[in-house]
């Protein structure tokens, strides 16, 4: 990829710290990872509503939405999935710089790709939330009918069926949607944010 050598970073006078003061809260990316149908989008939507009600500034980045625009030239090969996550990581970083809690909900099946996003961020700015649910549960929910298509061979390389999912080893938060209700999952995450001083 051609890259210009003549690019120089230009600093702002308004920093991330200024924005934190203005907003009265810190900023970080809350990175949801898990199988399709595990509940990443559902939980992130409810969490965002809860944070909004508490006066917290947020922005939600979600798989299908991003693939409609920014990443519409990418598919689901391992390379494209990697580039998908890399771009989302960079966008998440910009949003965190802008003082927002960024709720990113992508399957993001590869540990290495998620860890690269973690590396982009400063310490404490990457909160990995493992949305855990068995393939059997996700398949029985099948909210988009994708498992059915994958089983029928209409979708190749579907995570959990014929492509791997690498669960996080040390996530900041795990929610088990086989066991926990939606409300309990949201509460688990809000408690974590409060316990770690992200929110007042
Ligand atoms: N305890 C639970 N927590 C979250 N979602 C649940 C729970 N129980 C049932 N569901 C249902 O499971 C489905 C989860 O779908 P959702 O679209 O949120 O998954 P996703 O992880 O975003 O999948 P994808 O990667 O395909 O976008 C929804 O239909 C939701 O209503
Ligand atoms: Mg989703």
């Amino acid at each position: 990829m051609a890259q210009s050598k003549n690019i120089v970073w230009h600093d702002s006078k308004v920093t991330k710290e200024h924005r934190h003061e203005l907003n009265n809260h810190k900023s970080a990316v809350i990175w949801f990872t898990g199988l399709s149908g595990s509940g990443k989008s559902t939980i992130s939507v409810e969490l965002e509503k809860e944070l909004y009600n508490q006066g917290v500034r947020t922005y939600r980045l979600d798989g299908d939405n991003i693939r409609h625009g920014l990443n519409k030239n990418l598919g689901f090969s391992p390379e494209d999935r990697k580039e998908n996550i890399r771009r989302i990581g960079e966008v998440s970083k910009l949003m965190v710089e802008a003082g927002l809690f960024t709720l990113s909900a992508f399957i993001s099946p590869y540990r290495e790709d998620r860890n690269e996003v973690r590396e982009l961020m400063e310490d404490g700015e990457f909160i990995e939330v493992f949305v855990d649910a068995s393939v059997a549960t996700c398949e029985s929910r099948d909210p988009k009918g994708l498992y059915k298509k994958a089983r029928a061979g209409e979708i190749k390389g579907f995570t959990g069926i014929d492509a791997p999912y690498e669960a996080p080893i040390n996530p900041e938060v795990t929610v088990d949607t086989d066991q926990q209700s939606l409300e309990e999952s949201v509460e688990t995450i809000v408690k974590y944010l409060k316990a770690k001083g992200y929110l007042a």
Side-chain angles (χ1 to χ4, degrees), residues 35-42 107 141 143-144 177 180-182:
L35 294 171
S36 178
S38 60
K40 302 178 297 297
S41 296
T42 305
I107 299 173
R141 292 176 184 161
K144 304 178 192 164
T177 72
Q180 283 174 271
S181 68
L182 175 56

Side-chain angles (χ1 to χ4, degrees), residues 60-71 106:
R60 212 168 57 78
L61 298 171
D62 198 285
D64 288 353
N65 303 1
I66 295 287
R67 281 181 179 276
H68 273 121
L70 180 67
N71 289 355
F106 302 87

Side-chain angles (χ1 to χ4, degrees), residues 29-96:
V29 54
I30 303 175
W31 189 278
F32 294 87
T33 174
L35 294 171
S36 178
S38 60
K40 302 178 297 297
S41 296
T42 305
I43 295 169
S44 67
V45 166
E46 285 308 308
L47 175 65
E48 184 172 52
K49 193 182 82 188
E50 178 60 31
L51 293 175
Y52 176 82
N53 288 342
Q54 296 191 24
V56 176
R57 293 177 202 276
T58 61
Y59 196 75
R60 212 168 57 78
L61 298 171
D62 198 285
D64 288 353
N65 303 1
I66 295 287
R67 281 181 179 276
H68 273 121
L70 180 67
N71 289 355
K72 69 177 170 192
N73 62 331
L74 299 177
F76 290 88
S77 67
E79 301 72 44
D80 278 11
R81 284 182 191 257
K82 189 178 181 66
E83 176 62 11
N84 184 45
I85 297 306
R86 190 193 69 80
R87 288 186 201 170
I88 292 155
E90 293 287 355
V91 173
S92 297
K93 187 180 168 75
L94 293 176
M95 300 257 169
V96 171

Side-chain angles (χ1 to χ4, degrees), residues 7-200:
I7 44 177
V8 180
W9 190 269
H10 201 125
D11 276 325
S12 298
K13 287 191 177 170
V14 179
T15 64
K16 181 165 59 183
E17 288 66 33
H18 289 122
R19 293 180 210 278
H20 290 173
E21 262 174 54
L22 190 67
N23 290 344
N24 223 0
H25 59 73
K26 294 186 181 164
S27 60
V29 54
I30 303 175
W31 189 278
F32 294 87
T33 174
L35 294 171
S36 178
S38 60
K40 302 178 297 297
S41 296
T42 305
I43 295 169
S44 67
V45 166
E46 285 308 308
L47 175 65
E48 184 172 52
K49 193 182 82 188
E50 178 60 31
L51 293 175
Y52 176 82
N53 288 342
Q54 296 191 24
V56 176
R57 293 177 202 276
T58 61
Y59 196 75
R60 212 168 57 78
L61 298 171
D62 198 285
D64 288 353
N65 303 1
I66 295 287
R67 281 181 179 276
H68 273 121
L70 180 67
N71 289 355
K72 69 177 170 192
N73 62 331
L74 299 177
F76 290 88
S77 67
E79 301 72 44
D80 278 11
R81 284 182 191 257
K82 189 178 181 66
E83 176 62 11
N84 184 45
I85 297 306
R86 190 193 69 80
R87 288 186 201 170
I88 292 155
E90 293 287 355
V91 173
S92 297
K93 187 180 168 75
L94 293 176
M95 300 257 169
V96 171
E97 290 291 327
L100 308 175
F101 277 94
T102 312
L103 285 65
S104 299
F106 302 87
I107 299 173
S108 46
Y110 301 118
R111 213 171 275 141
E112 182 186 289
D113 298 351
R114 297 192 303 266
N115 285 341
E116 276 177 20
V117 180
R118 185 186 286 276
E119 294 303 314
L120 271 183
M121 316 295 296
E122 288 178 23
D123 278 354
E125 285 183 346
F126 186 82
I127 302 167
E128 190 172 27
V129 177
F130 177 30
V131 183
D132 193 7
S134 66
V135 175
T137 297
C138 295
E139 190 163 1
S140 71
R141 292 176 184 161
D142 207 5
K144 304 178 192 164
L146 298 176
Y147 283 89
K148 196 158 174 259
K149 285 190 184 164
R151 290 288 184 199
E154 291 165 34
I155 305 176
K156 298 273 180 239
F158 192 76
T159 302
I161 304 292
D162 59 351
Y165 177 75
E166 299 173 357
I169 291 169
N170 240 331
E172 276 70 15
V173 183
T174 298
V175 291
D176 178 353
T177 72
D178 271 323
Q179 303 291 334
Q180 283 174 271
S181 68
L182 175 56
E183 294 71 26
E184 285 168 338
S185 294
V186 170
E187 199 187 319
T188 301
I189 301 165
V190 171
K191 271 194 185 153
Y192 176 87
L193 296 175
K194 291 198 169 155
K196 296 289 178 183
Y198 290 96
L199 303 179

